[in-house]
Amino acid sequence: YNAILLKALAARLAEAGIEYVDAPVSGGVAGAAKGTLAVMVSCARATYDELQEMLAGLGKPFYVGPEAGQGQVVKLANNLMSMAALAITSEAMVMGAKAGVDPALMLDVINVSSGRNTASMEKFPRAVLPGTFDFGFATGLAYKDVKLCVDEAESLGVPMVVGGAVRELYAVTQATQGAASDFTSVCRVVEAWVAQEVPQCGYCQSGQLMTAASLVTGPDKTLSREQVLERMAGNLCRCGTYNRIADAVVNARKSLG
């Protein structure tokens, strides 16, 4: 919802003697499970002080202001920046692939340089380089969030030239990949435009899977997760998939007894 609607809702609730508290969160499923969500709260300061301890159970609460919708504005700004990072990283990585640069090496450089962002540090290693495109957030939701932010900015008279371009890119992603696709599929759109895929990690696609299968079915059932990683020579793989494979190995061995 945009801030204008939330202000109208807060006014209607106030007529009935109900105080509206705006408290959107960010941090994803992982943050919810760990209790580390960022909670962006806007309401009367006295109300926030009363609720702060309860909200802390969700993660880290931030008081952003007294007006309804201010918390939503902060969340929308955060989401736009996150989606923009994924979009521009996709374009940069496809450019590198087109030039013949190893994508894992490219990420190694970027992630110790000024261009690093949540997409280069998390989304590409976990969901793009392995070729799984399963980071866990739908393209339809990504498009909705970006559109809401750009619409909010326009209602405030703030031009969003870059934000508008990001919105269009996710609109294309939704139209071509489907609303239910993972939002990392934005990279697939850029790949298709230039007929160049970001190469997947060949090591974890072949040798690791074979080693993982042998560790599940082999005679040694006492290896720790660290030993599984060592046997899989995980240090040779830079895309991060070996961590998930190691977890799957350990879990499979437990289920097999």
Side-chain angles (χ1 to χ4, degrees):
Y1 302 105
N2 61 38
I4 295 175
L5 177 61
L6 294 178
K7 287 179 180 178
L9 176 61
R12 291 290 300 272
L13 290 172
E15 293 174 2
I18 301 172
E19 182 178 0
Y20 174 79
V21 177
D22 194 19
V25 300
S26 182
V29 175
K34 297 176 183 177
T36 58
L37 294 170
V39 187
M40 295 149 271
V41 188
S42 60
C43 59
R45 180 72 204 207
T47 303
Y48 171 77
D49 291 340
E50 291 179 13
L51 297 175
Q52 186 174 4
E53 183 177 352
M54 180 189 70
L55 293 171
L58 300 174
K60 183 174 178 56
F62 294 88
Y63 181 69
V64 301
E67 296 184 16
Q70 287 179 318
Q72 181 74 354
V73 168
V74 175
K75 176 178 172 60
L76 290 177
N78 173 78
N79 287 358
L80 173 63
M81 293 172 69
S82 176
M83 304 308 168
L86 178 55
I88 198 64
T89 302
S90 295
E91 293 183 346
M93 292 298 294
V94 172
M95 178 188 71
K98 191 76 171 179
V101 179
D102 175 8
L105 176 61
M106 192 169 173
L107 285 181
D108 285 345
V109 175
I110 290 171
N111 286 335
V112 294
S113 305
S114 58
R116 65 184 180 274
N117 57 67
T118 55
S120 68
M121 297 177 72
E122 299 174 8
K123 299 176 182 69
F124 264 75
R126 280 179 49 190
V128 179
L129 261 61
T132 54
F133 295 93
D134 60 351
F135 193 79
F137 194 70
T139 295
L141 294 177
Y143 172 67
K144 172 187 70 73
D145 285 349
V146 173
K147 184 177 184 301
L148 280 172
C149 187
V150 175
D151 290 348
E152 185 71 32
E154 290 177 352
S155 73
L156 294 169
V158 178
M160 279 201 166
V161 178
V162 176
V166 174
R167 175 181 59 186
E168 294 309 308
L169 184 52
Y170 280 97
V172 172
T173 304
Q174 179 170 260
T176 59
Q177 306 297 314
S181 67
D182 193 83
F183 72 149
T184 54
S185 298
V186 66
C187 187
R188 285 176 158 164
V189 172
V190 183
E191 290 175 332
W193 283 342
V194 297
Q196 174 64 60
E197 293 185 357
V198 175
Q200 298 174 17
C201 176
Y203 181 73
C204 70
Q205 295 282 319
S206 55
Q208 281 194 350
L209 295 179
M210 294 175 63
T211 306
S214 67
L215 287 171
V216 172
T217 59
D220 191 348
K221 306 293 186 182
T222 62
L223 292 178
S224 67
R225 184 182 185 279
E226 289 69 27
Q227 289 172 318
V228 169
L229 282 172
E230 184 178 352
R231 292 284 185 91
M232 293 171 68
N235 61 313
L236 298 179
C237 174
R238 288 172 296 198
C239 82
T241 301
Y242 63 88
N243 282 298
R244 286 190 286 178
I245 295 177
D247 288 334
V249 168
V250 172
N251 292 333
R253 282 170 34 198
K254 287 179 180 178
S255 66
L256 292 173

